[in-house]
Amino acid sequence: MEKISINLLPTENTAALRRQRQFVMIQTVSTIFLLVMIFLASITVALRFLQSQNISSVEVKAKSAEDSVSGFKDKEIALVVLKNRLGIINQIFPKPSKQAIAYQQVSNLVPAAVSVSSLSVDAKGTVLLSLISPSGTELKALVANLSDKKNFDNFSSVEIESLTRGRDGAYRASIKMIAI
Amino acid sequence: MNKEKIAQFYSKYKIFIFPISVAIASLVLIVVVIYPQISTFLKNQSDFEDMSKRLQSLEVKAKDLEVLDVDDLNNGLAIAFASLPSDQDLATITGVIQRLATISGVSLASLQVNPGQVISLNGANGFTVKAEISGSKAAVSRFINNIDQSSRLMKISTIEISHSRVGSDLTTALLSVHVFYSPSPKELGPIDSELPQLTSDDQRVIATLAKAKTTVGFTSPTLPKGKSNPFD
């Protein structure tokens, strides 16, 4: 036989009780939320406080380090000036000038029997060579030297500007070369 | 009477009033405390990191400066300034070229200094010196090399060579030489700027310049001397 359950309390009481339970639940959740917010606010304030302390500490240390660096100002000036000068020297000093290289190379390529009347190397590296060769053989040797592949890397162009043969059998030539 | 009304009102709507009050209080907390604090914290955190880096670089710089040897620095500076003076230093240059001519074995016929013609190359300024020399082919070649490798920074700019007689070894040369100088830097930069380091290349350059200087300065000339007065 089934049991019959009858609520004898008035229906208003039941509704009031339900509302009260709902309110308690909302109150609990809201209170927890508020506490969390207060906790977060406290944490952020505490963090900021710690951060301010750290910043102050770093500022003090930085001031002390600045004082130390300022104490060595003379050394720093000397080092900066030295480095600056060495930088410039290092760019200019080790490289021989194009003109000196061109002169040395041309001097080495001219056979001993060939007399150089004049040789000029201008600021752009253009070499003008006037020479007298006692015979065609030496002149041929010079042209062969200048046209040699291993020497060709040093000059972008080699040009015989003039070539004449005198009554004495000597060859007079003007050669123009452009050094790279 | 009012209190009773308020109590009644609250009792009736407390289920809404309480959470709304909590929400407003939370919002106020967020707007007034949490957001500004977090925002300032994040901004300060990046500043703090910058300050920490600056502190670190300052400490490293102070330590590096402390161990630097003053004598080495001064020695390096003396060599560097002898090689590349801060001004044209016209008084020295004639002596240097005369000495190079003597060492090379050429005779210095004339020397013309043009301090007004200033050129610029790789951050250095330069003026032109024209030297007329005479000597054997080998001596002229040596002089050209010595000028180019001189510890006093200078480079050959133009060369004009002529022979007085065909087949003669006596060579006359008119050389145009760029002599370099560079004014010292006027500003040191901020205190926390990185300290330049002397590299092995720099040390090598100092050693080479010192060696070249010694060679030019102390080698006793065994070759014919140049003219004592190039304008004679």
Side-chain angles (χ1 to χ4, degrees):
Chain A
M1 194 169 168
E2 267 185 45
K3 284 182 182 175
I4 299 166
S5 169
I6 302 167
N7 190 352
L8 297 174
L9 289 170
T11 51
E12 295 82 17
N13 280 8
T14 315
L17 201 63
R18 200 168 57 239
R19 276 204 303 274
Q20 184 60 29
R21 274 188 200 142
Q22 271 181 347
F23 175 69
V24 168
M25 201 181 74
I26 287 170
Q27 197 179 29
T28 311
V29 169
S30 302
T31 309
I32 290 170
F33 184 75
L34 187 64
L35 285 174
V36 167
M37 284 296 144
I38 291 169
F39 176 72
L40 276 177
S42 317
I43 289 282
T44 53
V45 169
L47 276 176
R48 278 274 294 111
F49 178 71
L50 282 174
Q51 192 188 46
S52 300
Q53 276 195 328
N54 285 341
I55 288 174
S56 304
S57 153
V58 168
E59 274 175 347
V60 169
K61 283 181 187 170
K63 182 79 185 66
S64 155
E66 272 181 23
D67 290 344
S68 299
V69 171
S70 300
F72 298 117
K73 203 172 180 90
D74 289 347
K75 276 187 182 181
E76 190 184 358
I77 290 170
L79 183 64
V80 168
V81 171
L82 178 60
K83 183 73 185 173
N84 169 271
R85 295 206 109 56
L86 288 176
I88 297 169
I89 292 169
N90 214 359
Q91 287 183 57
I92 300 172
F93 179 68
K95 295 181 208 155
S97 64
K98 196 199 277 189
Q99 290 72 16
I101 295 173
Y103 168 75
Q104 302 296 357
Q105 279 167 348
V106 171
S107 300
N108 291 338
L109 292 174
V110 175
V114 174
S115 303
V116 175
S117 321
S118 70
L119 192 160
S120 71
V121 189
D122 70 9
K124 289 178 182 171
T126 307
V127 184
L128 292 173
L129 176 67
S130 298
L131 51 90
I132 302 170
S133 173
S135 70
T137 320
E138 280 81 12
L139 191 64
K140 208 182 261 181
L142 173 64
V143 172
N145 279 346
L146 291 172
S147 326
D148 195 334
K149 200 181 170 188
K150 66 180 177 191
N151 297 320
F152 207 72
D153 290 342
N154 304 316
F155 300 104
S156 63
S157 83
V158 178
E159 215 176 290
I160 298 177
E161 290 206 312
S162 69
L163 176 66
T164 54
R165 185 165 184 250
R167 281 184 190 167
D168 52 356
Y171 289 85
R172 286 170 175 78
S174 289
I175 300 174
K176 182 180 173 183
M177 288 156 276
I178 297 172
I180 294 171
Chain B
M1 186 64 186
N2 270 347
K3 276 186 183 174
E4 272 177 27
K5 275 186 177 176
I6 289 168
Q8 269 181 357
F9 180 80
Y10 178 73
S11 158
K12 195 174 177 185
Y13 296 108
K14 65 183 177 187
I15 201 158
F16 304 110
I17 291 171
F18 195 85
I20 287 170
S21 307
V22 167
I24 290 169
S26 302
L27 202 66
V28 167
L29 267 179
I30 288 169
V31 170
V32 175
V33 182
I34 298 174
Y35 177 74
Q37 292 293 340
I38 287 179
S39 153
T40 315
F41 178 83
L42 292 175
K43 184 186 163 293
N44 283 0
Q45 194 61 21
S46 100
D47 290 350
F48 176 70
E49 278 165 19
D50 290 345
M51 285 169 77
S52 298
K53 276 182 197 164
R54 183 170 180 271
L55 170 66
Q56 208 174 353
S57 73
L58 279 169
E59 282 174 344
V60 169
K61 188 174 179 176
K63 212 173 273 182
D64 285 352
L65 282 169
E66 198 177 352
V67 297
L68 270 179
D69 187 25
V70 184
D71 292 338
D72 277 357
L73 269 180
N74 289 340
N75 183 39
L77 267 180
I79 291 168
F81 270 100
S83 173
L84 185 68
S86 55
D87 55 25
Q88 293 185 330
D89 195 16
L90 301 175
T92 317
I93 194 64
T94 49
V96 170
I97 291 178
Q98 271 184 315
R99 201 159 57 236
L100 288 174
T102 309
I103 289 167
S104 311
V106 295
S107 172
L108 190 60
S110 74
L111 194 63
Q112 187 190 335
V113 183
N114 299 317
Q117 291 178 356
V118 176
I119 58 135
S120 285
L121 179 74
N122 294 326
N125 296 330
F127 61 96
T128 309
V129 172
K130 285 188 175 168
E132 192 182 340
I133 54 163
S134 59
S136 67
K137 200 176 151 189
V140 169
S141 179
R142 217 164 26 235
F143 181 70
I144 289 172
N145 265 344
N146 283 341
I147 287 274
D148 243 34
Q149 290 164 12
S150 163
S151 66
R152 174 68 179 91
L153 211 57
M154 49 187 158
K155 292 287 166 195
I156 298 283
S157 162
T158 63
I159 303 170
E160 284 174 44
I161 291 195
S162 58
H163 291 274
S164 49
R165 276 185 293 117
V166 174
S168 159
D169 191 39
L170 186 67
T171 306
T172 306
L174 183 64
L175 305 174
S176 182
V177 181
H178 283 155
V179 182
F180 295 99
Y181 66 97
S182 175
S184 296
K186 288 190 175 71
E187 284 177 11
L188 198 59
I191 194 163
D192 56 345
S193 62
E194 205 178 324
L195 196 68
Q197 300 291 326
L198 287 182
T199 60
S200 54
D201 271 359
D202 294 330
Q203 300 287 4
R204 189 175 43 76
V205 170
I206 292 174
T208 313
L209 290 175
K211 198 178 163 191
K213 194 181 169 194
T214 312
T215 312
V216 173
F218 298 102
T219 304
S220 50
T222 51
L223 295 159
K225 283 187 176 182
K227 286 183 178 180
S228 56
N229 184 353
F231 303 104
D232 274 349

